[in-house]
Amino acid sequence: MDDPATPFRLPLIAILRGITPAEVADHVGVLVEEGYDAIEIPTNSPDWARSVALAVGAFADRARIGAGTLLEPAQVDALIEAGGTLGVTPNVRPAVIRHAVARGLPLVSGVATPSEAFDALEAGAPMLKLFPAAVYGPAMVRALRSVLPPPVPLFAVGGITPDTLPVYLSAGCQGVGIGGELYRAGQTAEHTRTQAQRFRDAWMGHTA
């Protein structure tokens, strides 16, 4: 089921922290095969821009490939140069948000409080993520959702599991970002596939 509030067919942002250029095609390939169309390669991964470029070259017609842990405008430029079409920040950095917006890059800004959420929106962020979600829990999602403009997509990121995913969706999230429960550096592509299927099934079971 597509959610018109997000630019993704499957609003599960797959986070491949620690992926290397040698591995990226295999892991992004299985994610795309499982229906994922939002892939994040964090900037603290080895040679992250090269991984983005390789994934874009192979899968740009089927998924948005982007980078997370964007902390400065120069990383936004490097991401766009690599062909990336999605940016994610861990926190509110107005300079990064404004730069991404000016360059036409869809951005998900990390927030932890209502004040940060509105600061991010004021800077132009089109999407928000509660991070780290497992620390704040679904009660914070409900609190944020009660004051945020209804069209603003809100993602829960940080510690999400297949079992807790439906809880965050019920609390008011339009989607989630999944990291350590989906991918850990060095694991096989088939393990990534198995975990991707678990999360997708949890999503589909909630939205059916």
Side-chain angles (χ1 to χ4, degrees):
M1 179 184 297
D2 293 354
D3 187 332
T6 77
F8 316 122
R9 293 184 301 274
L10 181 67
L12 307 179
I13 301 174
I15 304 167
L16 301 178
R17 190 176 304 278
I19 196 83
T20 67
E23 303 167 304
V24 70
D26 288 342
H27 290 268
V28 174
V30 300
L31 288 169
V32 170
E33 288 172 5
E34 297 302 329
Y36 285 71
D37 63 317
I39 314 292
E40 171 192 335
I41 298 170
T43 61
N44 55 3
S45 302
D47 202 0
W48 68 271
R50 175 63 176 157
S51 289
V52 169
L54 289 169
V56 167
F59 305 105
D61 60 334
R62 300 171 66 185
R64 286 183 181 270
I65 311 295
T69 320
L70 295 174
L71 298 174
E72 54 190 53
Q75 291 176 325
V76 173
D77 293 332
L79 172 59
I80 293 172
E81 184 176 345
T85 55
L86 174 66
V88 184
T89 73
N91 60 352
V92 179
R93 296 243 171 146
V96 173
I97 296 170
R98 293 190 182 102
H99 191 62
V101 171
R103 296 216 54 189
L105 179 73
L107 186 79
V108 183
S109 174
V111 302
T113 67
S115 293
E116 291 183 356
F118 282 102
D119 286 347
L121 294 178
E122 183 179 19
M127 295 175 281
L128 304 176
K129 76 175 194 184
L130 175 63
F131 177 80
V135 173
Y136 296 100
M140 178 62 89
V141 172
R142 288 189 290 270
L144 287 171
R145 194 75 273 172
S146 71
V147 294
L148 289 175
V152 175
L154 178 63
F155 293 79
V157 183
I160 306 300
T161 70
D163 291 335
T164 61
L165 187 156
V167 178
Y168 285 94
L169 298 177
S170 295
C173 284
Q174 279 66 50
V176 302
I178 47 179
E181 288 289 325
L182 171 71
Y183 173 82
R184 294 184 186 274
Q187 75 183 32
T188 67
E190 282 310 304
H191 187 63
T192 298
R193 184 191 301 277
T194 297
Q195 295 303 97
Q197 290 171 343
R198 292 182 63 214
F199 277 100
R200 187 197 60 210
D201 290 349
W203 165 265
M204 297 301 292
H206 178 83
T207 57

